[in-house]
Amino acid sequence: MDSQNISPSPTASSGSVFAHLVRAPEDPILGVTVAFNKDPSPVKLNLGVGAYRTEEGKPLVLNVVRKAQHQIVNDPSRNKEYLPIVGLADFNKLSAKLIFGADSPAIQENRITTVQCLSGTGSLRVGGEFLAKHYHQRIIYLPKPTWGNHTKVFTLAGLSVKTYRYYAPATRGLDFQGLLEDLGSAPSGSIVLLHACAHNPTGVDPTPEQWEQIRQLIRSKALLPFFDSAYQGFASGNLDADAHSVRSFVADGGELLAAQSYAKNMGLYGERVGALSIVSKSADVASLVESQLKLVIRPMYSNPPLHGASIVATILKDRDLYNEWTIELKGMADRIISMRQQLFDALRSRGTPGDWSHIIKSIGMFTFTGLNPEQVSFMTKEYHIYLTSDGRISMAGLSSKTVPHLADAIHAAVTRAS
Ligand SMILES: Cc1ncc(COP(=O)(O)O)c(C=O)c1O
């Protein structure tokens, strides 16, 4: 073609084909870190992101993870071939054992399909898309409030998101009555998202007796439970105790989904290691489920990454490494629990107005402080402390050295910025 006949397209002369884009807002959680990184203050403190820090305020690579990595890189028989669509077989088996318990009848009866996914988020997304395609009811109920990404993940997966009451600001505890009423009036078959333990952002979990009532209600209304297990072992320091809710729903023989993340409990955040399990009524159905999950995954990201899953499988299958992991995990959980006590004591000793006992009662990585958005922005401006605007603080980002600074900031926010 004669080049002289090619006239420039109108878009080429007026600039980029993307020039019309409107700037998207930062993610409400990850945006906190963006703002934190820009702050030059030496006393700045990031309590926004849910990532564990040591007493020195540093990210932690578990010793057991270093050992497993060492074994992996020094094993000449390993290669970098693609994993199957469903991921590493050993990893999937061991992940199911970890969450459902080694003696789970559902495992023995081959009623569970487990697929390796991209951490907790990817597991939720694959599960959501599978349900949108193959389950008869498209409505998913999320607790109010919930982890900020849930709504987007499930909406984009093709489900219709509704909420059930969960948190009562007045008591800073569970709105159990509201929860029962909302799930009790949900259309039959609706999907219900449940945080397996360490509810994010509130740090409020049902008691075992309340879990039992929730289970009975869910089963009696033929609702479908979808557990999000992002903190197994991180809440209490005990892997079995933190899986109690999930296991009680498997024990009744009913069906469910469970998304697992190894981000927090093995500190493998950036490796993106997680699993989605679907518990069915029979081995035949479980195998149909697997065949369809592959069709969800293949066009999404083809197959999952190898390295993180190899680390997890190495640790879970070796008794010594597994034991070492449980000790390190308990160490992280205990440090968080001790931060709760220290912050509570610091506020009490300052005479900060209010009842701060929820700080020691909350479970897991976060405390929902009850601070309002104005108080939060005051703390950021005056004290360089970064947290999400809903007043959630990551206890894992605190240390004995930074507790006094946070307590000063909360005290000033409550007494001056209210
Ligand atoms: C409740 C909950 N679910 C899922 C996730 C997903 O985490 P990841 O995708 O990093 O495993 C998180 C992370 O903060 C979470 O708090």
Side-chain angles (χ1 to χ4, degrees):
M1 196 194 284
D2 183 350
S3 66
Q4 282 172 340
N5 291 337
I6 302 174
S7 54
S9 73
T11 45
S13 55
S14 62
S16 167
V17 293
F18 302 117
H20 63 286
L21 292 188
V22 269
R23 184 167 306 282
E26 290 286 357
D27 179 87
I29 300 176
L30 301 182
V32 174
T33 300
V34 174
F36 171 82
N37 288 338
K38 286 186 190 151
D39 186 339
S41 166
V43 297
K44 66 180 179 176
L45 187 56
N46 186 0
L47 303 177
V49 67
Y52 184 82
R53 296 286 176 265
T54 62
E55 257 296 294
E56 290 69 44
K58 296 275 185 309
L60 178 68
V61 179
L62 298 187
N63 203 34
V64 72
V65 165
R66 289 195 192 281
K67 279 191 190 169
Q69 287 193 139
H70 199 70
Q71 276 189 24
I72 291 165
V73 296
N74 287 309
D75 178 352
S77 71
R78 290 189 187 250
N79 56 44
K80 296 286 185 190
E81 292 293 291
Y82 288 127
L83 283 177
I85 297 171
V86 295
L88 192 64
D90 267 359
F91 167 87
N92 289 337
K93 265 194 222 113
L94 293 158
S95 293
K97 259 171 83 175
L98 186 70
I99 188 161
F100 299 115
D103 55 358
S104 169
I107 295 182
Q108 279 145 26
E109 293 156 16
N110 292 319
R111 291 194 283 113
I112 304 180
T113 306
T114 303
V115 292
Q116 181 194 333
C117 295
L118 276 74
S119 212
T121 309
S123 309
L124 294 165
R125 177 64 194 253
V126 169
E129 232 169 276
F130 171 83
L131 291 171
K133 259 187 151 165
H134 300 292
Y135 183 56
H136 65 89
Q137 178 58 271
R138 295 271 161 78
I139 303 171
I140 184 163
Y141 279 79
L142 308 180
K144 192 169 176 209
T146 192
W147 178 53
N149 215 13
H150 276 152
T151 308
K152 294 170 226 168
V153 165
F154 291 118
T155 305
L156 285 174
L159 296 172
S160 161
V161 169
K162 291 193 188 260
T163 58
Y164 61 90
R165 276 170 284 171
Y166 189 85
Y167 180 73
T171 60
R172 300 220 165 108
L174 185 67
D175 182 356
F176 190 50
Q177 205 46 45
L179 178 153
L180 293 179
E181 278 171 26
D182 290 350
L183 295 186
S185 55
S188 171
S190 298
I191 307 153
V192 183
L193 192 281
L194 300 157
H195 294 227
C197 67
H199 182 272
N200 178 8
T202 66
V204 173
D205 284 352
T207 63
E209 295 72 33
Q210 288 169 332
W211 270 120
E212 178 51 21
Q213 280 191 61
I214 296 169
R215 189 191 65 74
Q216 285 176 15
L217 175 64
I218 284 181
R219 292 310 190 199
S220 72
K221 290 213 55 179
L223 305 176
L224 181 64
F226 191 158
F227 280 95
D228 181 358
S229 178
Y231 298 94
Q232 190 183 354
F234 227 77
S236 66
N238 182 308
L239 287 156
D240 293 320
D242 290 354
H244 163 83
S245 58
V246 180
R247 291 179 192 176
S248 72
F249 278 74
V250 178
D252 68 17
E255 303 187 297
L256 61 88
L257 288 83
Q260 276 170 277
S261 167
Y262 290 97
K264 326 281 166 160
N265 61 11
M266 267 194 207
L268 291 174
Y269 309 91
E271 296 289 359
R272 313 307 292 144
V273 207
L276 170 73
S277 287
I278 301 187
V279 181
S280 315
K281 291 265 184 190
S282 71
D284 283 349
V285 175
S287 114
L288 297 176
V289 167
E290 180 175 296
S291 70
Q292 289 294 340
L293 278 172
K294 286 190 200 167
L295 295 191
V296 174
I297 294 169
R298 175 69 169 147
M300 204 189 277
Y301 53 86
S302 196
N303 47 68
L306 174 64
H307 186 63
S310 308
I311 295 172
V312 172
T314 302
I315 293 170
L316 295 184
K317 79 172 147 204
D318 180 291
R319 185 138 42 102
D320 291 340
L321 291 181
Y322 182 91
N323 289 339
E324 196 176 327
W325 174 45
T326 60
I327 293 164
E328 286 193 84
L329 180 55
K330 174 112 175 50
M332 291 193 284
D334 285 351
R335 200 186 80 72
I336 293 172
I337 291 166
S338 109
M339 286 305 111
R340 294 188 177 286
Q341 190 64 49
Q342 288 185 32
L343 180 60
F344 175 73
D345 293 345
L347 290 170
R348 270 248 288 250
S349 73
R350 281 163 181 73
T352 309
D355 171 11
W356 299 97
S357 61
H358 57 288
I359 294 177
I360 32 184
K361 284 190 218 137
S362 322
I363 297 154
M365 207 167 214
F366 301 106
T367 296
F368 219 36
T369 56
L371 295 164
N372 62 39
E374 291 74 43
Q375 291 168 328
V376 169
S377 85
F378 170 86
M379 285 167 53
T380 305
K381 213 163 134 232
E382 303 293 328
Y383 287 81
H384 307 276
I385 294 177
Y386 290 79
L387 56 151
T388 47
S389 61
D390 58 4
R392 183 193 82 161
I393 54 176
S394 170
M395 301 307 293
L398 269 180
S399 72
S400 308
K401 269 180 258 143
T402 54
V403 162
H405 182 53
L406 175 61
D408 287 344
I410 293 178
H411 187 87
V414 169
T415 51
R416 287 198 266 144
S418 306

mmCIF file of all heavy atoms in Angstrom, residues 68-108:
data_model
loop_
_atom_site.group_PDB
_atom_site.id
_atom_site.type_symbol
_atom_site.label_atom_id
_atom_site.label_comp_id
_atom_site.label_asym_id
_atom_site.label_seq_id
_atom_site.Cartn_x
_atom_site.Cartn_y
_atom_site.Cartn_z
ATOM 1 N N ALA A 68 13.154 -25.138 53.968
ATOM 2 C CA ALA A 68 12.465 -25.818 52.867
ATOM 3 C C ALA A 68 12.977 -25.300 51.526
ATOM 4 O O ALA A 68 13.240 -26.083 50.600
ATOM 5 C CB ALA A 68 10.956 -25.609 52.983
ATOM 6 N N GLN A 69 13.165 -23.978 51.429
ATOM 7 C CA GLN A 69 13.677 -23.405 50.173
ATOM 8 C C GLN A 69 15.050 -23.969 49.850
ATOM 9 O O GLN A 69 15.357 -24.287 48.705
ATOM 10 C CB GLN A 69 13.796 -21.887 50.296
ATOM 11 C CG GLN A 69 12.481 -21.191 50.272
ATOM 12 C CD GLN A 69 12.607 -19.676 50.078
ATOM 13 O OE1 GLN A 69 11.826 -19.120 49.343
ATOM 14 N NE2 GLN A 69 13.553 -19.036 50.730
ATOM 15 N N HIS A 70 15.869 -24.085 50.894
ATOM 16 C CA HIS A 70 17.211 -24.602 50.731
ATOM 17 C C HIS A 70 17.168 -26.012 50.144
ATOM 18 O O HIS A 70 17.865 -26.330 49.184
ATOM 19 C CB HIS A 70 17.879 -24.609 52.109
ATOM 20 C CG HIS A 70 19.356 -24.679 52.050
ATOM 21 N ND1 HIS A 70 20.116 -23.632 51.615
ATOM 22 C CD2 HIS A 70 20.207 -25.688 52.345
ATOM 23 C CE1 HIS A 70 21.383 -23.988 51.647
ATOM 24 N NE2 HIS A 70 21.464 -25.234 52.085
ATOM 25 N N GLN A 71 16.302 -26.847 50.756
ATOM 26 C CA GLN A 71 16.149 -28.224 50.248
ATOM 27 C C GLN A 71 15.734 -28.216 48.789
ATOM 28 O O GLN A 71 16.235 -28.990 47.982
ATOM 29 C CB GLN A 71 15.042 -28.938 51.026
ATOM 30 C CG GLN A 71 15.478 -29.549 52.327
ATOM 31 C CD GLN A 71 14.346 -30.420 52.901
ATOM 32 O OE1 GLN A 71 13.478 -30.903 52.196
ATOM 33 N NE2 GLN A 71 14.378 -30.611 54.205
ATOM 34 N N ILE A 72 14.813 -27.333 48.453
ATOM 35 C CA ILE A 72 14.270 -27.315 47.093
ATOM 36 C C ILE A 72 15.349 -26.908 46.079
ATOM 37 O O ILE A 72 15.552 -27.589 45.079
ATOM 38 C CB ILE A 72 13.048 -26.366 47.014
ATOM 39 C CG1 ILE A 72 11.883 -26.965 47.811
ATOM 40 C CG2 ILE A 72 12.638 -26.103 45.576
ATOM 41 C CD1 ILE A 72 10.757 -25.988 48.118
ATOM 42 N N VAL A 73 16.083 -25.834 46.395
ATOM 43 C CA VAL A 73 17.070 -25.377 45.395
ATOM 44 C C VAL A 73 18.260 -26.330 45.291
ATOM 45 O O VAL A 73 18.925 -26.390 44.261
ATOM 46 C CB VAL A 73 17.581 -23.934 45.623
ATOM 47 C CG1 VAL A 73 16.473 -22.927 45.474
ATOM 48 C CG2 VAL A 73 18.256 -23.780 46.966
ATOM 49 N N ASN A 74 18.479 -27.112 46.359
ATOM 50 C CA ASN A 74 19.612 -28.045 46.305
ATOM 51 C C ASN A 74 19.222 -29.431 45.817
ATOM 52 O O ASN A 74 20.039 -30.344 45.854
ATOM 53 C CB ASN A 74 20.273 -28.137 47.679
ATOM 54 C CG ASN A 74 21.049 -26.876 47.972
ATOM 55 O OD1 ASN A 74 21.861 -26.440 47.161
ATOM 56 N ND2 ASN A 74 20.759 -26.251 49.099
ATOM 57 N N ASP A 75 17.984 -29.600 45.392
ATOM 58 C CA ASP A 75 17.537 -30.899 44.899
ATOM 59 C C ASP A 75 17.621 -30.904 43.363
ATOM 60 O O ASP A 75 16.793 -30.283 42.693
ATOM 61 C CB ASP A 75 16.093 -31.133 45.377
ATOM 62 C CG ASP A 75 15.531 -32.439 44.874
ATOM 63 O OD1 ASP A 75 16.188 -33.095 44.045
ATOM 64 O OD2 ASP A 75 14.416 -32.792 45.305
ATOM 65 N N PRO A 76 18.640 -31.578 42.809
ATOM 66 C CA PRO A 76 18.836 -31.503 41.355
ATOM 67 C C PRO A 76 17.728 -32.203 40.566
ATOM 68 O O PRO A 76 17.613 -32.023 39.355
ATOM 69 C CB PRO A 76 20.183 -32.225 41.139
ATOM 70 C CG PRO A 76 20.377 -33.058 42.357
ATOM 71 C CD PRO A 76 19.608 -32.436 43.478
ATOM 72 N N SER A 77 16.920 -33.005 41.246
ATOM 73 C CA SER A 77 15.871 -33.702 40.502
ATOM 74 C C SER A 77 14.678 -32.783 40.212
ATOM 75 O O SER A 77 13.789 -33.124 39.446
ATOM 76 C CB SER A 77 15.392 -34.925 41.285
ATOM 77 O OG SER A 77 14.649 -34.499 42.415
ATOM 78 N N ARG A 78 14.667 -31.617 40.834
ATOM 79 C CA ARG A 78 13.537 -30.710 40.585
ATOM 80 C C ARG A 78 13.745 -29.927 39.303
ATOM 81 O O ARG A 78 14.872 -29.591 38.945
ATOM 82 C CB ARG A 78 13.368 -29.736 41.751
ATOM 83 C CG ARG A 78 12.871 -30.442 42.995
ATOM 84 C CD ARG A 78 12.498 -29.439 44.048
ATOM 85 N NE ARG A 78 12.179 -30.131 45.278
ATOM 86 C CZ ARG A 78 10.954 -30.219 45.788
ATOM 87 N NH1 ARG A 78 9.945 -29.651 45.177
ATOM 88 N NH2 ARG A 78 10.743 -30.856 46.910
ATOM 89 N N ASN A 79 12.637 -29.613 38.642
ATOM 90 C CA ASN A 79 12.731 -28.795 37.427
ATOM 91 C C ASN A 79 11.682 -27.697 37.482
ATOM 92 O O ASN A 79 11.017 -27.513 38.503
ATOM 93 C CB ASN A 79 12.567 -29.672 36.184
ATOM 94 C CG ASN A 79 11.261 -30.440 36.241
ATOM 95 O OD1 ASN A 79 10.229 -29.882 36.590
ATOM 96 N ND2 ASN A 79 11.306 -31.724 35.915
ATOM 97 N N LYS A 80 11.582 -26.989 36.403
ATOM 98 C CA LYS A 80 10.655 -25.839 36.373
ATOM 99 C C LYS A 80 9.523 -26.083 35.379
ATOM 100 O O LYS A 80 9.012 -25.137 34.769
ATOM 101 C CB LYS A 80 11.417 -24.562 35.993
ATOM 102 C CG LYS A 80 12.474 -24.153 37.003
ATOM 103 C CD LYS A 80 11.851 -23.573 38.265
ATOM 104 C CE LYS A 80 12.906 -23.067 39.217
ATOM 105 N NZ LYS A 80 12.334 -22.721 40.531
ATOM 106 N N GLU A 81 9.173 -27.344 35.173
ATOM 107 C CA GLU A 81 8.059 -27.655 34.274
ATOM 108 C C GLU A 81 6.765 -27.031 34.790
ATOM 109 O O GLU A 81 6.627 -26.760 35.990
ATOM 110 C CB GLU A 81 7.884 -29.176 34.178
ATOM 111 C CG GLU A 81 9.007 -29.890 33.469
ATOM 112 C CD GLU A 81 9.063 -29.541 31.995
ATOM 113 O OE1 GLU A 81 8.171 -29.944 31.258
ATOM 114 O OE2 GLU A 81 10.022 -28.833 31.607
ATOM 115 N N TYR A 82 5.789 -26.899 33.891
ATOM 116 C CA TYR A 82 4.463 -26.438 34.313
ATOM 117 C C TYR A 82 3.856 -27.423 35.302
ATOM 118 O O TYR A 82 4.022 -28.640 35.151
ATOM 119 C CB TYR A 82 3.497 -26.413 33.124
ATOM 120 C CG TYR A 82 3.725 -25.333 32.109
ATOM 121 C CD1 TYR A 82 3.850 -25.666 30.760
ATOM 122 C CD2 TYR A 82 3.748 -23.996 32.468
ATOM 123 C CE1 TYR A 82 4.018 -24.691 29.792
ATOM 124 C CE2 TYR A 82 3.923 -23.014 31.493
ATOM 125 C CZ TYR A 82 4.056 -23.369 30.171
ATOM 126 O OH TYR A 82 4.215 -22.401 29.214
ATOM 127 N N LEU A 83 3.113 -26.896 36.247
ATOM 128 C CA LEU A 83 2.271 -27.758 37.073
ATOM 129 C C LEU A 83 1.002 -28.095 36.285
ATOM 130 O O LEU A 83 0.642 -27.376 35.358
ATOM 131 C CB LEU A 83 1.873 -27.024 38.355
ATOM 132 C CG LEU A 83 2.930 -26.918 39.449
ATOM 133 C CD1 LEU A 83 2.388 -26.084 40.621
ATOM 134 C CD2 LEU A 83 3.335 -28.303 39.940
ATOM 135 N N PRO A 84 0.297 -29.166 36.702
ATOM 136 C CA PRO A 84 -1.030 -29.396 36.107
ATOM 137 C C PRO A 84 -1.959 -28.207 36.407
ATOM 138 O O PRO A 84 -1.680 -27.404 37.308
ATOM 139 C CB PRO A 84 -1.537 -30.649 36.829
ATOM 140 C CG PRO A 84 -0.333 -31.265 37.452
ATOM 141 C CD PRO A 84 0.662 -30.171 37.680
ATOM 142 N N ILE A 85 -3.087 -28.145 35.704
ATOM 143 C CA ILE A 85 -4.044 -27.042 35.903
ATOM 144 C C ILE A 85 -4.447 -26.925 37.371
ATOM 145 O O ILE A 85 -4.584 -25.831 37.912
ATOM 146 C CB ILE A 85 -5.306 -27.275 35.027
ATOM 147 C CG1 ILE A 85 -4.948 -27.255 33.554
ATOM 148 C CG2 ILE A 85 -6.387 -26.232 35.335
ATOM 149 C CD1 ILE A 85 -6.081 -27.688 32.631
ATOM 150 N N VAL A 86 -4.599 -28.072 38.035
ATOM 151 C CA VAL A 86 -5.067 -28.059 39.437
ATOM 152 C C VAL A 86 -3.926 -27.880 40.432
ATOM 153 O O VAL A 86 -4.165 -27.823 41.641
ATOM 154 C CB VAL A 86 -5.850 -29.348 39.789
ATOM 155 C CG1 VAL A 86 -7.128 -29.437 38.973
ATOM 156 C CG2 VAL A 86 -4.987 -30.589 39.614
ATOM 157 N N GLY A 87 -2.692 -27.794 39.957
ATOM 158 C CA GLY A 87 -1.576 -27.533 40.860
ATOM 159 C C GLY A 87 -0.842 -28.790 41.297
ATOM 160 O O GLY A 87 -1.016 -29.872 40.730
ATOM 161 N N LEU A 88 -0.037 -28.618 42.344
ATOM 162 C CA LEU A 88 0.851 -29.676 42.836
ATOM 163 C C LEU A 88 0.026 -30.689 43.659
ATOM 164 O O LEU A 88 -0.597 -30.317 44.656
ATOM 165 C CB LEU A 88 1.909 -29.003 43.720
ATOM 166 C CG LEU A 88 3.142 -29.793 44.155
ATOM 167 C CD1 LEU A 88 3.995 -30.182 42.945
ATOM 168 C CD2 LEU A 88 3.981 -28.945 45.121
ATOM 169 N N ALA A 89 0.070 -31.955 43.244
ATOM 170 C CA ALA A 89 -0.803 -32.967 43.861
ATOM 171 C C ALA A 89 -0.548 -33.103 45.363
ATOM 172 O O ALA A 89 -1.485 -33.116 46.169
ATOM 173 C CB ALA A 89 -0.603 -34.306 43.155
ATOM 174 N N ASP A 90 0.720 -33.187 45.758
ATOM 175 C CA ASP A 90 1.061 -33.320 47.188
ATOM 176 C C ASP A 90 0.538 -32.134 47.981
ATOM 177 O O ASP A 90 0.000 -32.283 49.069
ATOM 178 C CB ASP A 90 2.594 -33.291 47.365
ATOM 179 C CG ASP A 90 3.152 -34.687 47.348
ATOM 180 O OD1 ASP A 90 2.353 -35.636 47.227
ATOM 181 O OD2 ASP A 90 4.398 -34.809 47.444
ATOM 182 N N PHE A 91 0.745 -30.959 47.427
ATOM 183 C CA PHE A 91 0.290 -29.737 48.085
ATOM 184 C C PHE A 91 -1.219 -29.785 48.314
ATOM 185 O O PHE A 91 -1.719 -29.444 49.390
ATOM 186 C CB PHE A 91 0.653 -28.510 47.224
ATOM 187 C CG PHE A 91 -0.027 -27.236 47.656
ATOM 188 C CD1 PHE A 91 0.530 -26.426 48.628
ATOM 189 C CD2 PHE A 91 -1.241 -26.852 47.076
ATOM 190 C CE1 PHE A 91 -0.107 -25.254 49.032
ATOM 191 C CE2 PHE A 91 -1.885 -25.687 47.480
ATOM 192 C CZ PHE A 91 -1.313 -24.888 48.458
ATOM 193 N N ASN A 92 -1.960 -30.231 47.314
ATOM 194 C CA ASN A 92 -3.420 -30.270 47.440
ATOM 195 C C ASN A 92 -3.856 -31.252 48.523
ATOM 196 O O ASN A 92 -4.702 -30.940 49.363
ATOM 197 C CB ASN A 92 -4.055 -30.629 46.095
ATOM 198 C CG ASN A 92 -3.934 -29.481 45.098
ATOM 199 O OD1 ASN A 92 -3.783 -28.324 45.492
ATOM 200 N ND2 ASN A 92 -3.989 -29.795 43.815
ATOM 201 N N LYS A 93 -3.244 -32.437 48.521
ATOM 202 C CA LYS A 93 -3.610 -33.449 49.532
ATOM 203 C C LYS A 93 -3.302 -32.942 50.939
ATOM 204 O O LYS A 93 -4.100 -33.064 51.860
ATOM 205 C CB LYS A 93 -2.789 -34.729 49.297
ATOM 206 C CG LYS A 93 -3.520 -35.746 48.471
ATOM 207 C CD LYS A 93 -2.814 -37.100 48.581
ATOM 208 C CE LYS A 93 -2.770 -37.735 47.211
ATOM 209 N NZ LYS A 93 -1.478 -37.879 46.591
ATOM 210 N N LEU A 94 -2.105 -32.379 51.092
ATOM 211 C CA LEU A 94 -1.673 -31.927 52.420
ATOM 212 C C LEU A 94 -2.477 -30.714 52.886
ATOM 213 O O LEU A 94 -2.756 -30.572 54.084
ATOM 214 C CB LEU A 94 -0.174 -31.603 52.386
ATOM 215 C CG LEU A 94 0.728 -32.834 52.172
ATOM 216 C CD1 LEU A 94 2.090 -32.420 51.619
ATOM 217 C CD2 LEU A 94 0.892 -33.622 53.467
ATOM 218 N N SER A 95 -2.875 -29.874 51.958
ATOM 219 C CA SER A 95 -3.683 -28.704 52.329
ATOM 220 C C SER A 95 -5.056 -29.151 52.828
ATOM 221 O O SER A 95 -5.588 -28.590 53.792
ATOM 222 C CB SER A 95 -3.853 -27.758 51.135
ATOM 223 O OG SER A 95 -2.617 -27.201 50.797
ATOM 224 N N ALA A 96 -5.631 -30.135 52.180
ATOM 225 C CA ALA A 96 -6.933 -30.658 52.625
ATOM 226 C C ALA A 96 -6.796 -31.249 54.024
ATOM 227 O O ALA A 96 -7.640 -31.019 54.900
ATOM 228 C CB ALA A 96 -7.450 -31.693 51.638
ATOM 229 N N LYS A 97 -5.698 -31.984 54.249
ATOM 230 C CA LYS A 97 -5.483 -32.570 55.587
ATOM 231 C C LYS A 97 -5.353 -31.478 56.644
ATOM 232 O O LYS A 97 -5.841 -31.610 57.765
ATOM 233 C CB LYS A 97 -4.189 -33.393 55.589
ATOM 234 C CG LYS A 97 -4.420 -34.892 55.470
ATOM 235 C CD LYS A 97 -3.127 -35.629 55.248
ATOM 236 C CE LYS A 97 -2.358 -35.911 56.512
ATOM 237 N NZ LYS A 97 -1.159 -36.748 56.256
ATOM 238 N N LEU A 98 -4.670 -30.407 56.260
ATOM 239 C CA LEU A 98 -4.435 -29.330 57.234
ATOM 240 C C LEU A 98 -5.748 -28.680 57.658
ATOM 241 O O LEU A 98 -5.974 -28.447 58.837
ATOM 242 C CB LEU A 98 -3.517 -28.272 56.613
ATOM 243 C CG LEU A 98 -3.086 -27.164 57.562
ATOM 244 C CD1 LEU A 98 -2.106 -27.703 58.609
ATOM 245 C CD2 LEU A 98 -2.435 -26.008 56.803
ATOM 246 N N ILE A 99 -6.604 -28.408 56.728
ATOM 247 C CA ILE A 99 -7.821 -27.684 57.114
ATOM 248 C C ILE A 99 -8.919 -28.622 57.610
ATOM 249 O O ILE A 99 -9.625 -28.299 58.565
ATOM 250 C CB ILE A 99 -8.320 -26.735 55.985
ATOM 251 C CG1 ILE A 99 -9.472 -25.868 56.504
ATOM 252 C CG2 ILE A 99 -8.736 -27.464 54.728
ATOM 253 C CD1 ILE A 99 -9.753 -24.628 55.693
ATOM 254 N N PHE A 100 -9.044 -29.802 57.009
ATOM 255 C CA PHE A 100 -10.163 -30.676 57.396
ATOM 256 C C PHE A 100 -9.780 -31.671 58.497
ATOM 257 O O PHE A 100 -10.651 -32.301 59.081
ATOM 258 C CB PHE A 100 -10.701 -31.421 56.174
ATOM 259 C CG PHE A 100 -11.230 -30.478 55.115
ATOM 260 C CD1 PHE A 100 -10.615 -30.382 53.872
ATOM 261 C CD2 PHE A 100 -12.311 -29.655 55.379
ATOM 262 C CE1 PHE A 100 -11.079 -29.498 52.910
ATOM 263 C CE2 PHE A 100 -12.784 -28.764 54.422
ATOM 264 C CZ PHE A 100 -12.169 -28.684 53.188
ATOM 265 N N GLY A 101 -8.476 -31.828 58.752
ATOM 266 C CA GLY A 101 -8.014 -32.785 59.761
ATOM 267 C C GLY A 101 -7.645 -34.095 59.079
ATOM 268 O O GLY A 101 -8.334 -34.539 58.152
ATOM 269 N N ALA A 102 -6.540 -34.701 59.568
ATOM 270 C CA ALA A 102 -6.016 -35.905 58.909
ATOM 271 C C ALA A 102 -7.042 -37.033 58.914
ATOM 272 O O ALA A 102 -7.068 -37.866 58.008
ATOM 273 C CB ALA A 102 -4.728 -36.343 59.608
ATOM 274 N N ASP A 103 -7.905 -37.051 59.932
ATOM 275 C CA ASP A 103 -8.858 -38.165 60.040
ATOM 276 C C ASP A 103 -10.238 -37.808 59.485
ATOM 277 O O ASP A 103 -11.228 -38.484 59.770
ATOM 278 C CB ASP A 103 -8.979 -38.592 61.517
ATOM 279 C CG ASP A 103 -9.345 -37.398 62.403
ATOM 280 O OD1 ASP A 103 -9.456 -36.273 61.867
ATOM 281 O OD2 ASP A 103 -9.532 -37.590 63.622
ATOM 282 N N SER A 104 -10.305 -36.774 58.680
ATOM 283 C CA SER A 104 -11.609 -36.346 58.160
ATOM 284 C C SER A 104 -12.236 -37.452 57.306
ATOM 285 O O SER A 104 -11.622 -37.940 56.349
ATOM 286 C CB SER A 104 -11.424 -35.092 57.302
ATOM 287 O OG SER A 104 -12.610 -34.816 56.608
ATOM 288 N N PRO A 105 -13.482 -37.831 57.616
ATOM 289 C CA PRO A 105 -14.139 -38.858 56.801
ATOM 290 C C PRO A 105 -14.283 -38.407 55.348
ATOM 291 O O PRO A 105 -14.191 -39.228 54.427
ATOM 292 C CB PRO A 105 -15.523 -39.027 57.448
ATOM 293 C CG PRO A 105 -15.632 -38.007 58.521
ATOM 294 C CD PRO A 105 -14.304 -37.367 58.729
ATOM 295 N N ALA A 106 -14.471 -37.131 55.124
ATOM 296 C CA ALA A 106 -14.638 -36.654 53.737
ATOM 297 C C ALA A 106 -13.370 -36.905 52.920
ATOM 298 O O ALA A 106 -13.451 -37.195 51.717
ATOM 299 C CB ALA A 106 -14.983 -35.167 53.744
ATOM 300 N N ILE A 107 -12.196 -36.820 53.571
ATOM 301 C CA ILE A 107 -10.945 -37.116 52.853
ATOM 302 C C ILE A 107 -10.882 -38.612 52.558
ATOM 303 O O ILE A 107 -10.613 -39.041 51.433
ATOM 304 C CB ILE A 107 -9.705 -36.679 53.674
ATOM 305 C CG1 ILE A 107 -9.679 -35.157 53.831
ATOM 306 C CG2 ILE A 107 -8.414 -37.183 53.026
ATOM 307 C CD1 ILE A 107 -8.481 -34.613 54.590
ATOM 308 N N GLN A 108 -11.173 -39.412 53.605
ATOM 309 C CA GLN A 108 -11.097 -40.860 53.404
ATOM 310 C C GLN A 108 -12.069 -41.348 52.328
ATOM 311 O O GLN A 108 -11.784 -42.291 51.600
ATOM 312 C CB GLN A 108 -11.368 -41.575 54.727
ATOM 313 C CG GLN A 108 -10.120 -41.606 55.617
ATOM 314 C CD GLN A 108 -10.431 -41.486 57.098
ATOM 315 O OE1 GLN A 108 -11.518 -41.846 57.536
ATOM 316 N NE2 GLN A 108 -9.481 -40.971 57.858
#
